[in-house]
Amino acid sequence: MLANQTTAGRPAGPSEPLLTPADAARMLRVSLSWLAKARLSGDGPRFVKIGRSVRYLESAIREYIKIRTRSSTSEE
């Protein structure tokens, strides 16, 4: 994936906000600890590393929510 593309393969707009982990956790309604663990295990939303900082594209958070949406508890 190119650096200027979102998870859906569309170009990231120049005005697309980068969210801090706290912002992303608030948007997902999870704790910072859960988000850090999900990032470590590869189970969370895609993220961007800028130096030592972690940021999330808002579109990556929305895409994560979309792919995790289920219509039944029996779905995986």
Side-chain angles (χ1 to χ4, degrees):
M1 180 182 304
L2 299 175
N4 65 344
Q5 288 188 339
T6 65
T7 56
R10 294 180 305 271
S15 63
E16 182 172 7
L18 285 174
L19 305 175
T20 64
D23 294 333
R26 209 173 313 90
M27 195 171 172
L28 291 168
R29 303 227 190 316
V30 298
S31 68
L32 275 170
S33 174
W34 182 91
L35 193 59
K37 289 174 187 171
R39 190 169 54 242
L40 183 65
S41 66
D43 293 333
R46 295 184 59 80
F47 61 94
V48 178
K49 285 282 287 197
I50 302 172
R52 291 168 46 181
S53 298
V54 172
R55 297 291 182 264
Y56 294 88
L57 288 167
E58 192 172 304
S59 61
I61 300 297
R62 279 193 241 100
E63 182 68 19
Y64 181 75
I65 292 169
K66 184 178 175 181
I67 65 172
R68 301 290 297 174
T69 301
R70 305 287 186 261
S71 49
S72 169
T73 57
S74 63
E75 289 182 57
E76 287 190 32

